[in-house]
Amino acid sequence: MNEPNNKAIGKPLDRVDGRLKVTGAARYAAEFPLKNMAHAVLVQSAIAKGRIQSIDTSAAQKSPGVLAVITHLNAPKLTSPQSSGGDSSGGDAQVTAANAQSGDGSAGGENPFEKPVPVLQDDKINFYGQHIGVVVAETLEQAKHAATLLRVTYREERPATVMAANLANAYKPQSLLVPLKPDTQRGDIQGGLKAADVRVDHTYTTPNEHHQPLEAHATTAVWDGQQLTLYDASQNVNGVQKTVANTLRIPPENIRVISSFVGGGFGSKYPVRGHTILAAIAAQQVKRPVKLVVTREQMFTSVGFRSHSSQRIRLGAKKDGKLTAISHEIHTQTSVFEEFIEHVGVATPMLYDTPNLLVTHRGVRLNLPTPTIMRAPGESPGMFAFESAMDELAYALKLDPIELRLRNEPERDPEKGLPWSSRSLVESFRQGAKSFGWEKRNPEPRSMRDGRYLIGMGTATATYPTNRMPSSAKVRILADGSAQVHLAATDIGTGTYTMLTQIAAEALGIPTERVRVEIGDTKMPKTPGSGGSWGAASYGSAVQSACVAVRAKILGMARLDPRSPLKGLSNVGMDIREGRIFSKRDASRGETYQELLTRNNLKVTEAEVESTPDEAAKKYSMHAFGAQFAQVQVDPDLGMVRVTRFLGTYGAGRILNPKTARSQMIGGIIMGIGMALHEETVVDERYGHFVNHNLGEYHVPVHADIPAIEAFFVEENDPHVNPLGVKGVGEIGIVGVAAAVANAVYHATGKRIRDLPITPDKLL
Ligand code: MOS
């Protein structure tokens, strides 16, 4: 009886929402059957730059079932990031009327994910596929048909669509999304390169890539007077609430956002996009619920993507492998009307020990949609280049690539000068190498064969920062002894429902089946969105602390209740297991939650907390680390690469649920194999459109492309990161995977491919 609680944390609990998902009972944004629903279809520009000269909507208006055709000619005036709340005088629709009473002056605030998203505000075209209208009809088919009847003429200008052709216009951004300056330097980079015995200097490129979650982005919008409800495929319900409020200039409390289940996010569902605003406007105009689903094709232009990057890396090292210089100069693209410069060099300054470092970020404005965060934003493209370059350096030094990394292991964060809260990179390489059989690798390129196939093994480092955001949560204990956990949080498929269930069960001393987690709704206590791998740390800490608070209430109640067998005991003198509160000294003395609450005529006892990160983040550098291992088989005649084995080993703090955490790693590895071998969105340079805008031509790995993948965590006890000791496992799975594959391809073939994806043409 000395166990403090039921141990629920650390168990491989099946997904608590699994049954709902496989039976179809889980409702996604486009699946709420509302009465009188109308359907909206997006109309998008067919040029990349210029002006709309005319839009003739008359045929569409007259088409059967059509309820509204909205274009820039009749759309309500919205806030734009530039006009921040100011001029609403020109507006002509109800949205403007609602603005007047809002008094919310916060539009255009600091948070880049709460900035207004103006849409249909003028005749200007900035990219191919920009929304230029929305057609609302009784049925989806009627709306689709009517959308084809719009007659649009343009004054077309020549678009800038290729980064390489526009490098002369590269600029230095003001800031990046993360706490990293666009230019970061220490020491003397030229001196460091000069002092090196061995140098490598290469440029690596990654293509435009799209997230393409299985569930398409979608919004169902319903107005009830001044109240707007949005069922939105979103990773960030509070962000949607705030952004839509800022855009439509209505008070956030008039907006409810529901995102109960999300069919994959990967970053694209974090920011608000134009279609959500259009659904809200359309529903207001037709005075009915409106459903708007972004088509797979439209997903390529409407919800962001990962920008193409070009990265020059220069490394210098002494003969023994000790790095004397790391230089990482990055170009990525953004759009002509918004800025998103991916923080590609984010991991470079902290990863290895070097006195001399330079990291620069430059942006090029193109007539393409604005890029956005995509799983492991920054690290995914950045670590492909950096970890490929480290492999090249290892060959130049004739040093084992793992050994090279070990020789540059920094005692503390070389950029911040802070100690690590914990760092298991060495341990991950040690255990991973053993498990993978790295010692069987003959270091000579093109030396290993299996029949006619060339075999290669490659490795790379993974890393991702441990983030934690302020989050609130409410926990309620009901008279039947069960518990409810309420917070706005979303589960983008990662297992949020499940791990929160485990945290609450353990903290409350009840079985997991007695916990009901309700999330994905702005009616619940406010949280950050699901992104940056901070869900477990942020939501988990809030839930844990709400449980502690409600537990203290319950114990206090028992202590003071003259009819309780626990009367007079101190809180620390009591414990709870299986829903029964008992004396630690005499376990026979006790009663259940149910008995205590029922006797006191309480239907519910609850506590709501706001949980904020402590000062530890200022004292320690906090990151998860891992080692990725790939084995490939290359057909020397056809240039076909097949990943035949993959292993990832990670130190990510305490693992709340080894089953869902491992699934996250495997998912990340698959996404990384896609990045290495398959994914690329091709731009038609003349017209600025993504040519392969469908899942037939935008290649992602299928089952046949994916080998048996192994992923495991090394034991890591981190007392500093947060009270739960978790680091987060959303993103680290993908980091370094593409480099490990590219390094394996080099080992197999002797050919270094520095331009992703590694397709057969590049190997022949
Ligand atoms: Mo995170 S960019 O939402 O995978």
Side-chain angles (χ1 to χ4, degrees):
M1 278 292 181
N2 279 336
E3 282 271 308
N5 272 305
N6 311 293
K7 284 289 167 207
I9 295 178
K11 295 261 154 68
L13 184 68
D14 286 341
R15 281 168 191 274
V16 297
D17 51 335
R19 190 181 173 82
L20 288 176
K21 284 188 168 175
V22 299
T23 57
R27 287 250 162 87
Y28 293 79
E31 297 182 327
F32 288 83
L34 303 173
K35 231 188 245 154
N36 209 22
M37 184 103 81
H39 298 262
V41 165
L42 297 166
V43 184
Q44 304 188 313
S45 81
I47 65 162
K49 185 181 181 188
R51 299 268 172 186
I52 298 171
Q53 199 155 39
S54 68
I55 297 193
D56 180 358
T57 61
S58 53
Q61 304 264 18
K62 280 183 247 146
S63 184
V66 170
L67 302 167
V69 180
I70 307 171
T71 68
H72 73 282
L73 299 171
N74 61 346
K77 182 90 177 160
L78 304 170
T79 317
S80 67
Q82 291 76 26
S83 75
S84 272
D87 90 85
S88 62
S89 52
D92 56 359
Q94 295 134 311
V95 171
T96 310
N99 297 337
Q101 52 158 60
S102 107
D104 184 317
S106 63
E110 293 295 290
N111 187 333
F113 297 112
E114 293 178 358
K115 278 196 308 204
V117 179
V119 59
L120 306 186
Q121 294 302 285
D122 56 35
D123 59 358
K124 191 156 189 245
I125 301 296
N126 293 316
F127 64 95
Y128 186 104
Q130 178 181 322
H131 302 322
I132 57 169
V134 60
V135 177
V136 192
E138 294 285 348
T139 69
L140 178 61
E141 292 73 15
Q142 288 170 331
K144 265 189 185 167
H145 174 66
T148 66
L149 302 177
L150 260 69
R151 291 290 161 258
V152 187
T153 62
Y154 302 94
R155 274 206 315 278
E156 195 173 351
E157 293 166 49
R158 212 184 153 72
T161 61
V162 181
M163 197 173 85
N166 290 278
L167 285 178
N169 301 325
Y171 72 101
K172 179 177 162 182
Q174 290 279 316
S175 62
L176 301 173
L177 198 56
V178 294
L180 171 77
K181 295 209 181 80
D183 284 12
T184 298
Q185 42 197 310
R186 59 177 189 258
D188 164 18
I189 191 69
Q190 292 308 338
L193 287 166
K194 227 179 258 160
D197 297 322
V198 173
R199 282 171 284 270
V200 297
D201 178 355
H202 294 294
T203 296
Y204 304 82
T205 50
T206 62
N208 294 312
E209 295 165 355
H210 277 77
H211 316 66
Q212 295 300 340
L214 208 51
E215 179 207 20
H217 286 239
T219 307
T220 305
V222 193
W223 287 88
D224 178 9
Q226 301 293 323
Q227 300 292 319
L228 171 63
T229 301
L230 296 168
Y231 300 88
D232 196 33
S234 171
Q235 299 176 228
N236 181 15
V237 288
N238 294 107
V240 175
Q241 181 187 44
K242 207 59 197 292
T243 307
V244 174
N246 286 341
T247 308
L248 303 186
R249 277 175 270 188
I250 59 177
E253 54 274 20
N254 284 15
I255 304 174
R256 180 178 181 190
V257 182
I258 296 170
S259 182
S260 321
F261 297 96
V262 184
F266 317 112
S268 67
K269 286 172 184 163
Y270 201 95
V272 175
R273 293 286 169 180
H275 67 273
T276 298
I277 305 297
L278 289 175
I281 292 170
Q284 191 167 44
Q285 188 135 339
V286 303
K287 297 187 168 57
R288 289 168 58 167
V290 165
K291 185 197 307 200
L292 194 164
V293 180
V294 180
T295 65
R296 188 58 67 183
E297 176 174 339
Q298 290 166 346
M299 294 258 292
F300 282 84
T301 54
S302 310
V303 297
F305 64 104
R306 187 181 342 255
S307 158
H308 165 56
S309 78
S310 172
Q311 310 173 49
R312 180 185 180 197
I313 302 221
R314 287 176 293 165
L315 301 176
K318 290 291 192 190
K319 280 198 195 80
D320 62 1
K322 191 76 202 60
L323 286 161
T324 57
I326 299 173
S327 171
H328 192 172
E329 296 160 277
I330 298 149
H331 283 84
T332 63
Q333 76 209 33
T334 184
S335 69
V336 296
F337 65 103
E338 278 177 317
E339 180 169 285
F340 178 87
I341 302 292
E342 186 166 351
H343 40 278
V344 171
V346 65
T348 311
M350 51 64 69
L351 199 55
Y352 302 121
D353 204 24
T354 181
N356 307 302
L357 172 116
L358 174 71
V359 175
T360 63
H361 293 80
R362 295 293 178 270
V364 175
R365 294 195 180 279
L366 297 180
N367 291 103
L368 288 175
T370 315
T372 193
I373 50 172
M374 178 162 155
R375 182 136 286 199
E379 285 85 354
S380 281
M383 290 284 281
F384 160 67
F386 190 17
E387 287 295 293
S388 293
M390 283 294 282
D391 200 64
E392 301 208 46
L393 180 63
Y395 280 102
L397 289 161
K398 299 196 192 332
L399 198 60
D400 178 82
I402 297 178
E403 185 56 32
L404 173 61
R405 287 162 177 88
L406 300 189
R407 289 190 189 176
N408 290 286
E409 174 72 2
E411 204 141 304
R412 40 177 57 213
D413 182 326
E415 183 59 24
K416 290 186 185 155
L418 296 174
W420 306 106
S421 64
S422 60
R423 172 166 165 135
S424 301
L425 181 62
V426 172
E427 192 54 22
S428 296
F429 270 116
R430 203 185 63 76
Q431 290 191 30
K434 189 159 175 247
S435 187
F436 190 72
W438 184 255
E439 82 285 350
K440 291 192 206 94
R441 174 179 180 268
N442 177 343
E444 191 60 36
R446 227 184 156 89
S447 64
M448 295 177 72
R449 283 182 178 263
D450 178 6
R452 54 184 285 268
Y453 294 116
L454 303 168
I455 302 298
M457 293 186 190
T459 189
T461 295
T463 186
Y464 197 79
T466 298
N467 296 307
R468 180 176 164 199
M469 305 284 275
S471 174
S472 43
K474 186 199 283 187
V475 171
R476 322 175 75 213
I477 298 190
L478 308 186
D480 66 359
S482 71
Q484 294 176 340
V485 174
H486 290 172
L487 63 164
T490 50
D491 186 335
I492 57 176
T494 48
T496 309
Y497 277 106
T498 311
M499 63 87 179
L500 293 181
T501 300
Q502 291 172 270
I503 291 169
E506 180 157 321
L508 298 173
I510 58 177
T512 49
E513 313 84 71
R514 304 233 66 197
V515 177
R516 191 183 157 83
V517 173
E518 292 182 45
I519 58 175
D521 189 339
T522 52
K523 276 268 190 291
M524 310 287 187
K526 194 174 171 196
T527 69
S530 297
S533 295
W534 57 54
S538 314
Y539 307 157
S541 298
V543 168
Q544 159 122 318
S545 120
C547 288
V548 168
V550 77
R551 189 182 155 113
K553 267 191 184 178
I554 295 272
L555 296 182
M557 194 190 306
R559 185 182 62 211
L560 296 172
D561 182 350
R563 290 169 296 173
S564 170
L566 299 156
K567 182 186 175 303
L569 290 173
S570 69
N571 281 18
V572 289
M574 290 182 267
D575 205 348
I576 313 173
R577 291 190 76 176
E578 297 286 323
R580 180 172 175 273
I581 314 159
F582 59 91
S583 161
K584 279 185 189 162
R585 276 230 197 114
D586 173 7
S588 70
R589 202 176 148 192
E591 64 175 330
T592 62
Y593 279 122
Q594 188 169 15
E595 286 163 333
L596 177 67
L597 292 183
T598 313
R599 193 173 60 248
N600 284 281
N601 290 320
L602 287 170
K603 283 208 177 73
V604 57
T605 303
E606 62 183 37
E608 182 170 340
V609 303
E610 205 196 322
S611 161
T612 48
D614 58 21
E615 293 293 288
K618 293 190 191 128
K619 291 191 248 159
Y620 296 95
S621 178
M622 305 177 178
H623 302 261
F625 292 91
Q628 312 276 27
F629 295 87
Q631 180 166 326
V632 300
Q633 164 192 299
V634 183
D635 185 319
D637 302 319
L638 302 176
M640 292 265 292
V641 179
R642 203 160 263 288
V643 177
T644 48
R645 276 199 310 141
F646 203 99
L647 167 75
T649 307
Y650 314 89
R654 188 181 188 191
I655 299 306
L656 297 170
N657 181 325
K659 189 172 189 179
T660 53
R662 180 173 170 275
S663 293
Q664 284 303 295
M665 297 304 95
I666 291 174
I669 290 166
I670 294 170
M671 200 169 167
I673 291 174
M675 180 179 178
L677 301 180
H678 308 281
E679 296 188 47
E680 173 173 21
T681 334
V682 180
V683 180
D684 183 320
E685 300 184 2
R686 298 161 302 170
Y687 306 115
H689 89 290
F690 291 119
V691 182
N692 51 338
H693 49 231
N694 55 66
L695 291 182
E697 291 163 292
Y698 182 84
H699 292 169
V700 293
V702 297
H703 281 292
D705 299 309
I706 297 302
I709 291 172
E710 286 178 79
F712 68 89
F713 297 95
V714 304
E715 180 130 351
E716 192 177 68
N717 224 317
D718 191 323
H720 306 299
V721 278
N722 46 59
L724 283 166
V726 302
K727 287 187 170 177
V729 291
E731 332 244 352
I732 192 173
I734 185 177
V735 180
V737 172
V741 173
N743 296 344
V745 168
Y746 176 76
H747 180 235
T749 64
K751 270 196 187 152
R752 179 65 65 176
I753 307 300
R754 303 187 182 93
D755 175 40
L756 292 184
I758 303 168
T759 44
D761 53 305
K762 294 175 189 169
L763 279 172
L764 290 177

